[in-house]
Amino acid sequence: MPSKKALVRRPSPRLAEGLVTHIEREKVDVDRAMEQWEAYVEALRKHGWETVEVDPADDCPDSVFVEDTVVMFRNVALIARPGAESRRPETAGVEEAVAGLGCSVNWIWEPGTLDGGDVLKIGDTVYVGRGGRTNAAGVQQLRAAFEPLGARVVAVPVSKVLHLKSAVTALPDGTVIGHIPNMDAPSLFDRFLPVPEESGSHVVLLGGDKLLMAASAPKTAELFADLGYQPVLVDIGEFEKLEGCVTCLSVRLRGLYS
Ligand SMILES: NC(=O)NCCC[C@H](N)C(=O)O
């Protein structure tokens, strides 16, 4: 049976020093962030996900955004090379965790840079954002790693937000959802549904009709409920101050068998 494991990583005590690129810096309450993180992890568990904690990286303020450090395709874990230098030490602990879970491991190498937040998988199609964190060499290396495994890799320009998945994610039926003002090229996606809120662009597929979403997107949650989905809302406000979203706080490992 395919596993329902999800990697998560406890926030660093230095979280408030995390990077901010496209928004104004706001003061982060680390205690509140910790409570929000616990509730996020609990929501995953409640919906059948076994959470695996990567060893904390307390010296790395952004380490809670574990999605950026690794991209999974089938049983292969492609270890990212984050575009922001301050985030590069985050990958060592993640590599150890995925190897321990039996993944095959591959790497993005210099001069490539790639953040996991730039990679959106829909079936065997792998969209990769070329933007502030992922460069052309990173895109090429991703293609070289995943195309032999059957992936169709589609590169997407990203200039208005931090990562591709800050702009778009996808519903269980593969419909891409996004907030149009944040997108460079909506026409690249075969089936696209605009959403009314920026944070409504981010869903984590919990299984079945359940969508994990940020509480800051109530109108989008209503839209999805009206389409027959079941939104599960979590407050991730402290992480949103650092350009984080629901997607970046975990990595679901669906290609492993256990
Ligand atoms: N995948 C994501 O959306 N990651 C969010 C990363 C936020 C972090 N402050 C950063 O700038 O790297």
Side-chain angles (χ1 to χ4, degrees), residues 61-137:
D62 284 304
S63 50
V64 68
F65 303 117
V66 65
E67 169 188 59
D68 292 322
T69 54
V70 62
V71 180
M72 293 299 304
F73 190 79
R74 307 200 196 292
N75 70 327
V76 176
L78 180 62
I79 304 298
R81 184 164 180 271
E85 222 171 311
S86 66
R87 299 202 56 189
R88 295 206 182 133
E90 294 176 26
T91 58
V94 172
E95 183 175 335
E96 216 170 282
V98 291
L101 291 169
C103 301
S104 294
V105 179
N106 200 345
W107 297 266
I108 297 289
W109 298 103
E110 193 179 359
T113 64
L114 179 130
D115 278 16
D118 275 320
V119 181
L120 171 66
K121 282 177 296 174
I122 305 179
D124 287 345
T125 302
V126 179
Y127 292 98
V128 54
R130 160 64 178 109
R133 296 285 175 85
T134 295
N135 66 14

Side-chain angles (χ1 to χ4, degrees), residues 211-235:
L211 309 174
L212 187 65
M213 297 180 60
S216 56
K219 288 189 196 136
T220 313
E222 221 171 277
L223 168 69
F224 293 158
D226 194 48
L227 294 175
Y229 293 107
Q230 293 184 56
V232 174
L233 299 184
V234 284
D235 180 3

